[in-house]
Amino acid sequence: MPKTTPNLRLVKSAPKDELEAPPSSRRSSRGEILEMGDDQLVVLALEGSSDEQLRAHEALYRRHAAFAFNLAARIAGSTNDVEDVVHDAFLRAFDNLDNLRNPKAFKSWLGSIVVHAMRSRLRRSRWMRLFGLGHPGDPVDIDALTSEQASPGARAELAQVYALLQTLPADDRIAWTLRNVEGHDLKGTADLCDCSLATVKRRIRRAQRYIETHFVDHGDDAEPTRLVAKRSKRSGGAK
Amino acid sequence: MSDERRSRELKLSWQDEPTALRDHATPERLDRVWSRLERDIAREDDVHVPTTLRKGARPRGRWGRPSLALAAGFALGVGVAGWLWRGGPERPLVMQPAPVQNDGPRVLAAGTAPQTYPLPGGGVITLEPGSIVDRIEGPGQGLQLRLVRGEATVSTRRDGRHERVSLMVGQAQVVTAAGSMRIRHDGDTAFLQVIDGSAEVKTPHGDQKDLLLGPDDEARVPVRVITAQADQPLTPQRKSGEPAPTSDDGGSEDDAPAEGDEPSTAPAVVPAWVTACNEYDYAAAVKLFAEDGGDLATVSDPVHLMCLGDGHMARKDGQQAAATYERVVNGTGNDTQKALAALELVRIYQGLGEPNKVAHYRELHRKLSKGRVFSAEALCQKIESEAAAGHAETVRQLAERYRNQFPNGACTQTIRQLLEQLAAAEKAAAAKDGADEQGADAGDPPADPYDEIGDDETPPE
């Protein structure tokens, strides 16, 4: 069995003979292709005619592009270069379809490629920043991240959380974002991060602790007197 | 502690909002990327992109990884040597644990409590709860910030260094080179108070409306070019000793247009009922509004509508008040104003015995306020800041308004304490004056009215 690069590793593999083969004996119509499962599309993309391959690729892309775009943008905290990341991720995925051991898991495999790409970008920009090489990294673009329906409170919270996330190591930041922004369960987060459950838990916990320490949120039941005093002193002092 | 439990402890409300995050997969973006992919797939046989992962290509050969490791080791060695040569321990790399690094994040925000950030180039910015500030440019030509929403206090003083800071609010620009200023985004206008030093304001109307403010000057400036409304006076300038405009007032009688105002953007006369609103005399505002024609359809400013609604409530006219508040709920105001109006409607319809409407507006209020009483909180903060500034009369007026609007508000007790302390301070001051007049020794100064609510973290000055 050919080795795969670490980011392309699948946690769970299924024998290919268990998969339902696409109707390879005849040309698949566009409608049929759209109704196929990911596993069938993968097989078609590998074994179909060139036209079928293109359609299978497009079907896979159309089905999972939204997931990839949102994943990349929410990890980055902006939409800068997101199209490049998604383009490269799909290209890598299509080029390595024959290395995919469980074609049913195309989505999570694609997700792990996106995560790996984003991780590289974050780490690169962090190192560039540390060495003062002038690349400040992607700015957090809260307008791009939040929808028009987001409440002011939600926007403020997200802005603060992303500002904090920017200062975290890439691995911790990604794990926390996948878990708390994207809403993946721990197992899914571990799969996307291509690491063990224990590792991803440790990363999330680290990021969580940092955010809890630095996030300013006294909640609705904050004692008003203390806040009053703080504000009063400051205002009074400024006069 | 489990991650789930910790997440709940943070109380991140956006996690309960399924629509808070934007969907980035727009059809245009999907098509754009697909057309790129399609081109790449079509020329797959000719061009290998990316080459290391092409079909059939094996991962790097048996010497690939050791070579890479060797190269990485060499690069690391060169890097460390270079670093030592450039300055070594004298110039250590410092990772700041605080959210602001040398270059700093682009977005500064405060959650539900004030947050202070250091500014690149010196100085600090304090954000009030729910405020967001964007950094547009870094130091060099001076720092440029954009107040997206909320209220911020910018101070450029730090260790004797004065850095020019420019703060954009909508299309208006406020520049301060040495000093501190407080600025609040109120939608179409911004309220500006210079605490120290000076600030130059460039409004979107052009140079003829620029302002130069000195210490203790306050002004309300337009932040975007809007057509004039009879109920929306703009660009006042006054000393901070006078009653300050609140986030939900629209100006006052002395909100006369600055010299050089274009007639198309500034009102000639401020209606008397608007003046009454600005003086918190809502019942009089309703009376004057009725004398002025009383056509509710001509009023669109949610602040003025709220004033009239409050006036009707003060006059025990629930039906009229409901009609006015409903205009706010269905109008163009922000969520906070609508939430407040919805809350008032809940109370009114409870009194009128209309459970369906009560349920409807309660749900609307819940949705708009996300379970928080923004308006009560904002009013409470306003009272605190006025108390801190020593504006006793304004505090009393606002406290009365708070009691009327939020009889069971969380701030009621605090306000009562503040009023007692103000009264005690005034009494002590009067006694001291009396003693001075009689030639007696003044004795100890009056007690600090805020001692009782002193903060352990901030020693009394």
Side-chain angles (χ1 to χ4, degrees):
Chain A
M1 185 168 287
K3 280 185 181 176
T4 56
T5 47
N7 60 311
L8 303 182
R9 181 177 66 83
L10 282 174
V11 173
K12 186 183 173 186
S13 63
K16 281 195 177 170
D17 53 9
E18 282 180 14
L19 303 172
E20 193 183 335
S24 54
S25 55
R26 57 185 174 83
R27 290 175 68 82
S28 304
S29 73
R30 195 174 186 85
E32 282 175 338
I33 285 178
L34 290 176
E35 286 172 9
M36 284 180 186
D38 283 355
D39 49 345
Q40 290 176 301
L41 286 173
V42 168
V43 175
L44 193 64
L46 287 170
E47 296 171 1
S49 66
S50 62
D51 183 45
E52 282 175 334
Q53 281 185 341
L54 187 64
R55 284 188 193 176
H57 282 138
E58 183 174 6
L60 283 168
Y61 169 78
R62 299 276 176 200
R63 194 172 290 174
H64 300 299
F67 161 71
F69 273 116
N70 288 328
L71 190 62
R74 287 167 194 169
I75 288 173
S78 79
T79 50
N80 293 353
D81 304 331
V82 157
E83 288 185 20
D84 289 342
V85 169
V86 172
H87 168 264
D88 288 352
F90 270 100
L91 208 55
R92 277 171 179 248
F94 292 157
D95 282 342
N96 290 274
L97 280 178
D98 55 351
N99 288 337
L100 178 58
R101 283 179 287 168
N102 179 8
K104 279 183 177 171
F106 176 83
K107 186 179 176 182
S108 80
W109 183 62
L110 174 74
S112 71
I113 297 175
V114 173
V115 168
H116 181 77
M118 290 311 304
R119 178 173 172 268
S120 302
R121 294 176 79 89
L122 293 176
R123 285 165 72 99
R124 193 163 55 238
S125 58
R126 188 177 167 85
W127 277 103
M128 298 279 271
R129 210 161 54 229
L130 280 177
F131 283 104
L133 294 178
H135 192 293
D138 286 341
V140 173
D141 185 353
I142 207 68
D143 290 331
L145 274 176
T146 55
S147 68
E148 289 84 3
Q149 291 84 42
S151 68
R155 282 174 59 83
E157 280 179 2
L158 275 166
Q160 199 187 156
V161 164
Y162 268 96
L164 291 173
L165 284 173
Q166 261 199 327
T167 64
L168 283 173
D171 285 333
D172 296 0
R173 171 180 176 169
I174 289 171
W176 194 90
T177 307
L178 291 173
R179 179 81 182 94
N180 291 288
V181 180
E182 277 284 275
H184 293 280
D185 59 15
L186 287 171
K187 173 78 168 52
T189 306
D191 288 353
L192 287 170
C193 293
D194 192 32
C195 63
S196 70
L197 205 58
T199 302
V200 88
K201 277 183 184 175
R202 200 166 51 244
R203 289 175 183 173
I204 292 172
R205 204 176 302 125
R206 227 170 16 225
Q208 185 80 18
R209 207 173 295 136
Y210 179 82
I211 290 171
E212 278 179 0
T213 310
H214 292 85
F215 188 86
V216 184
D217 180 10
H218 292 297
D220 295 335
D221 51 356
E223 192 183 344
T225 315
R226 288 181 64 80
L227 284 175
V228 169
K230 231 177 194 172
R231 211 185 317 282
S232 300
K233 293 286 182 192
R234 195 172 54 238
S235 303
K239 290 300 291 180
Chain B
M1 190 178 293
S2 74
D3 300 313
E4 289 80 1
R5 199 172 147 203
R6 284 184 167 274
S7 285
R8 278 199 299 275
E9 280 175 1
L10 259 182
K11 291 182 187 169
L12 297 173
S13 65
W14 52 269
Q15 290 173 324
D16 299 327
E17 286 185 45
T19 56
L21 293 167
R22 189 181 290 277
D23 182 9
H24 300 280
T26 58
E28 300 79 32
R29 185 173 275 157
L30 290 176
D31 290 342
R32 211 160 41 231
V33 173
W34 171 245
S35 58
R36 282 172 65 187
L37 276 170
E38 200 174 12
R39 274 199 307 273
D40 289 333
I41 293 169
R43 66 184 181 206
E44 191 177 52
D45 294 335
D46 303 326
V47 185
H48 285 211
V49 182
T51 51
T52 52
L53 289 167
R54 297 299 303 174
K55 209 182 290 185
R58 286 287 152 259
R60 298 171 191 95
R62 63 187 294 190
W63 297 108
R65 285 178 192 280
S67 304
L68 269 182
L70 213 63
F74 178 73
L76 187 68
V78 169
V80 169
W83 171 65
L84 288 170
W85 181 72
R86 280 200 306 271
E90 284 79 28
R91 293 170 54 196
L93 290 170
V94 179
M95 279 184 65
Q96 296 187 17
V100 175
Q101 297 180 349
N102 281 342
D103 195 57
R106 292 276 168 162
V107 179
L108 308 175
T112 50
Q115 176 79 298
T116 298
Y117 293 101
L119 291 172
V124 293
I125 184 166
T126 301
L127 304 184
E128 293 302 312
S131 304
I132 298 174
V133 167
D134 248 351
R135 208 185 71 218
I136 304 171
E137 285 173 18
Q141 301 172 329
L143 185 64
Q144 194 163 3
L145 306 166
R146 180 169 66 103
L147 180 62
V148 180
R149 58 182 291 263
E151 181 177 333
T153 303
V154 181
S155 176
T156 59
R157 288 181 184 277
R158 186 180 150 190
D159 301 334
R161 287 179 59 198
H162 299 158
E163 184 85 14
R164 183 176 175 273
V165 175
S166 164
L167 190 66
M168 298 291 298
V169 190
Q171 295 167 33
Q173 186 185 24
V174 185
V175 182
T176 182
S180 54
M181 61 180 178
R182 187 164 71 94
I183 189 156
R184 185 180 58 229
H185 199 323
D186 287 341
D188 288 340
T189 61
F191 170 65
L192 173 68
Q193 181 188 28
V194 177
I195 299 163
D196 196 9
S198 66
E200 189 185 347
V201 186
K202 292 180 193 295
T203 69
H205 295 282
D207 290 338
Q208 74 272 26
K209 297 196 83 178
D210 291 352
L211 296 168
L212 185 62
L213 304 176
D216 292 337
D217 277 346
E218 295 179 352
R220 181 174 289 281
V221 295
V223 298
R224 62 181 180 212
V225 180
I226 52 171
T227 50
Q229 289 178 9
D231 55 352
Q232 197 161 30
L234 300 171
T235 325
Q237 187 171 349
R238 62 182 131 201
K239 290 288 176 186
S240 57
E242 299 166 43
T246 65
S247 58
D248 43 9
D249 70 21
S252 66
E253 193 175 21
D254 58 352
D255 292 351
E259 215 174 307
D261 280 3
E262 293 167 24
S264 62
T265 55
V269 180
V270 178
W273 67 268
V274 173
T275 306
C277 280
N278 292 332
E279 290 170 354
Y280 313 112
D281 193 350
Y282 306 132
V286 166
K287 192 168 167 246
L288 291 167
F289 180 65
E291 287 170 5
D292 212 16
D295 185 3
L296 206 57
T298 60
V299 185
S300 58
D301 188 334
V303 172
H304 294 154
L305 285 170
M306 288 301 291
C307 159
L308 292 174
D310 293 351
H312 287 303
M313 287 295 280
R315 294 161 73 97
K316 315 272 185 216
D317 188 349
Q319 294 287 0
Q320 281 293 324
T324 312
Y325 290 133
E326 272 166 356
R327 270 185 64 78
V328 178
V329 168
N330 300 317
T332 55
N334 59 35
D335 280 358
T336 305
Q337 289 160 334
K338 288 181 179 178
L340 179 57
L343 188 65
E344 295 296 344
L345 286 165
V346 168
R347 293 199 184 113
I348 291 169
Y349 285 121
Q350 270 173 342
L352 295 174
E354 296 192 39
N356 289 341
K357 287 189 174 175
V358 169
H360 170 71
Y361 286 113
R362 181 168 284 143
E363 175 61 18
L364 188 65
H365 173 259
R366 194 194 60 77
K367 222 188 291 179
L368 290 168
S369 66
K370 293 284 162 205
R372 298 174 193 173
V373 191
F374 284 123
S375 299
E377 199 175 284
L379 189 53
C380 184
Q381 287 168 10
K382 177 69 187 162
I383 293 168
E384 290 161 24
S385 60
E386 293 293 345
H391 302 154
E393 197 46 45
T394 311
V395 170
R396 286 197 183 93
Q397 287 171 348
L398 292 173
E400 181 65 25
R401 181 175 163 191
Y402 187 95
R403 268 199 297 266
N404 289 338
Q405 287 186 349
F406 309 104
N408 301 314
C411 210
T412 306
Q413 176 69 11
T414 309
I415 290 172
R416 196 172 55 76
Q417 282 176 0
L418 278 173
L419 288 172
E420 285 171 4
Q421 287 157 6
L422 276 174
E426 282 176 349
K427 200 174 164 187
K432 181 175 174 284
D433 288 345
D436 284 345
E437 279 172 17
Q438 290 166 13
D441 188 4
D444 291 331
D448 180 352
Y450 307 113
D451 268 357
E452 268 187 44
I453 50 172
D455 187 348
D456 298 340
E457 295 165 25
T458 313
E461 291 168 19

